Amino acid sequence: MDTNYETIIIGGGVLGSSIAYHLSDCKKDRILVLDQKFPLAGTSGSTQAWIWVHNKTPSWYAEFNMYSAELFPYLAKKIGDVEYKQTGGLSPFFNEADREKALQLAKAYKEIGIKIKVLSREEALEKEPSLNPNVAGATYSSIDGNVNPFRLVDRYMRAAKKNGVQYSTFNKVTEIQKLHDKFIVVSEKGTFVCKNLILAGGTWSRELGKLVDINIPVNQVRGQILVTEPLKPFLNYTISGVRQTFNGEVLIGYSMEKEGFNRATTLDLIQETANMAVHYIPGLRKAKVVRAFSGIRAMPEDGLPILGSIPGIDRLYVAATHSGMTLSPLIGTLMSELILDGETSVPIDRYSISRFDSLVR
């Protein structure tokens, strides 16, 4: 393998592979992706993979997600079928007191062009007859949906490789040095040199930051998910916490646990998740659960993406976020623009790492 590259991306998950693809699609200079395991072995391969916009706050962050969601039909034409489906999204509520919060959300979204409808009980049940009849209402957005995460990352990788991007997997980075206008990246399989370095290690972002003496405030949050046997298609929409896949399986769960890198599943959370599913969709009571799995999410300390240049270190960039599936087309596009042009078509100043008090670890 060559040792000199224009750009090295550390992390081959959905963000790293999206950046590799979009960058190579604009400029086919020498690009290397380093991954300590294999793409899809981490967060990108253990997710419900919603393409989700509504319910996100503040409203300008929802707008950012909307821009990305709108790119998926075009992306699929470029890289191939990723089983993207714009189902529309429902977020049910069971307490009438929550209606006022929903109306306030809809009002804030309307100002930025996102249409959220607050449904009555009757309207919610008309859209999704499988919902619990005791539902008080729901918020509805037509822009939400879901994607096959395995297909998405695989298509990104295939398209990137077709453009000349090289991948080096099972190759952990152990040291990073800045020497004049170059980065020296030391890994378990060799030493590489590059002009541009992008840290896209997801849950490992904080550890990567330590290699360049920068604090990247990203924590690990575990989420546990149940998978049912394949069922006849019966869910019309992606529901917050529940969705049905192309082959009929129902994915259930949206837990958030601070357990570090521990990917164990636990009985108490499995029971809680099953109870939530039956409360939302009573018909799932008789469905057989065929497996449970957990994934570790990358969660910046304030919940918002960390994107862009790292102050004080020329040509060093970071891309770390929750909701990587939803945001991958836009982040791939914007990071490529930033590297090639020095500016982005959609402002990312709000997402700069400089918003945090301490950059030096």
Side-chain angles (χ1 to χ4, degrees):
M1 176 174 283
D2 295 333
T3 58
N4 289 282
Y5 293 88
E6 179 80 6
T7 302
I8 291 179
I9 301 166
I10 302 178
V14 71
L15 285 191
S17 289
S18 175
I19 295 168
Y21 161 66
H22 284 93
L23 187 58
S24 66
D25 200 45
C26 297
K27 188 178 182 182
K28 296 178 174 60
D29 277 349
R30 299 156 68 79
I31 301 169
L32 172 67
V33 178
L34 295 171
D35 198 290
Q36 68 172 345
K37 292 183 180 178
F38 192 86
L40 290 168
T43 304
S44 297
S46 52
T47 171
Q48 279 233 38
W50 304 340
I51 306 304
W52 197 257
V53 175
H54 101 275
N55 296 128
K56 292 187 176 179
T57 55
S59 58
W60 46 261
Y61 176 49
E63 183 180 26
F64 196 69
N65 282 265
M66 177 184 71
Y67 292 152
S68 194
E70 289 174 339
L71 292 174
F72 269 91
Y74 175 71
L75 177 71
K77 290 180 180 178
K78 295 273 286 183
I79 66 174
D81 179 26
V82 294
E83 290 186 4
Y84 165 70
K85 191 173 182 181
Q86 191 176 9
T87 59
L90 280 174
S91 184
F93 53 86
F94 292 85
N95 188 330
E96 194 59 39
D98 291 330
R99 185 175 300 279
E100 184 57 36
K101 294 179 185 176
L103 289 169
Q104 290 175 1
L105 181 74
K107 182 179 178 181
Y109 277 17
K110 185 178 180 181
E111 294 176 0
I112 57 171
I114 301 177
K115 294 180 179 179
I116 299 293
K117 188 172 183 182
V118 181
L119 306 179
S120 66
R121 172 184 174 275
E122 291 75 20
E123 289 172 326
L125 290 171
E126 183 179 357
K127 279 189 174 294
E128 193 64 82
S130 298
L131 281 174
N132 188 332
N134 293 322
V135 69
T139 53
Y140 167 72
S141 166
S142 63
I143 198 171
D144 297 323
N146 54 70
V147 71
N148 183 324
F150 303 99
R151 276 184 174 270
L152 180 60
V153 176
D154 181 66
R155 293 292 188 180
Y156 275 140
M157 288 178 62
R158 288 175 184 269
K161 288 179 178 180
K162 189 176 180 180
N163 288 341
V165 174
Q166 294 186 36
Y167 276 74
S168 179
T169 57
F170 300 101
N171 191 6
K172 184 178 180 179
V173 172
T174 57
E175 185 179 348
I176 299 172
Q177 302 171 11
K178 183 73 186 290
L179 186 63
H180 304 301
D181 60 344
K182 300 286 185 182
F183 290 96
I184 313 297
V185 181
V186 181
S187 73
E188 292 176 341
K189 294 183 179 180
T191 299
F192 306 95
V193 179
C194 66
K195 181 180 176 182
N196 305 305
L197 181 62
I198 305 169
L199 307 180
T203 54
W204 294 93
S205 294
R206 193 182 289 270
E207 284 68 25
L208 286 176
K210 291 177 182 178
L211 298 180
V212 288
D213 291 322
I214 291 293
N215 177 36
I216 303 177
V218 172
N219 300 318
Q220 299 82 36
V221 178
R222 184 173 70 187
Q224 299 188 42
I225 296 174
L226 303 183
V227 185
T228 73
E229 62 185 325
L231 304 171
K232 278 183 65 174
F234 73 103
L235 291 179
N236 300 322
Y237 299 93
T238 300
I239 301 170
S240 55
V242 183
R243 83 168 178 96
Q244 190 167 25
T245 65
F246 270 58
N247 72 348
E249 295 173 338
V250 178
L251 303 182
I252 306 161
Y254 189 67
S255 62
M256 300 181 72
E257 308 163 83
K258 295 181 179 179
E259 291 290 337
F261 290 100
N262 178 8
R263 287 187 60 169
T265 53
T266 59
L267 181 59
D268 60 339
L269 224 300
I270 288 173
Q271 291 173 328
E272 184 180 315
T273 300
N275 289 336
M276 178 274 290
V278 171
H279 178 56
Y280 273 37
I281 315 288
L284 285 173
R285 185 177 298 277
K286 296 181 180 180
K288 295 178 181 177
V289 172
V290 296
R291 72 184 182 105
F293 69 91
S294 72
I296 309 299
R297 303 186 189 100
M299 185 64 72
E301 284 187 351
D302 63 359
L304 299 173
I306 303 174
L307 303 173
S309 306
I310 293 182
I313 307 179
D314 192 37
R315 295 190 175 275
L316 178 64
Y317 306 89
V318 61
T321 189
H322 177 52
S323 296
M325 288 290 158
T326 299
L327 289 171
S328 67
L330 183 61
I331 288 177
T333 299
L334 298 179
M335 291 297 291
S336 299
E337 292 174 349
L338 182 62
I339 292 165
L340 296 175
D341 305 326
E343 57 185 10
T344 58
S345 55
V346 175
I348 59 172
D349 296 351
R350 283 181 166 131
Y351 306 114
S352 171
I353 193 173
S354 61
R355 70 184 186 270
F356 297 100
D357 292 335
S358 177
L359 286 181
V360 180
R361 70 179 179 93

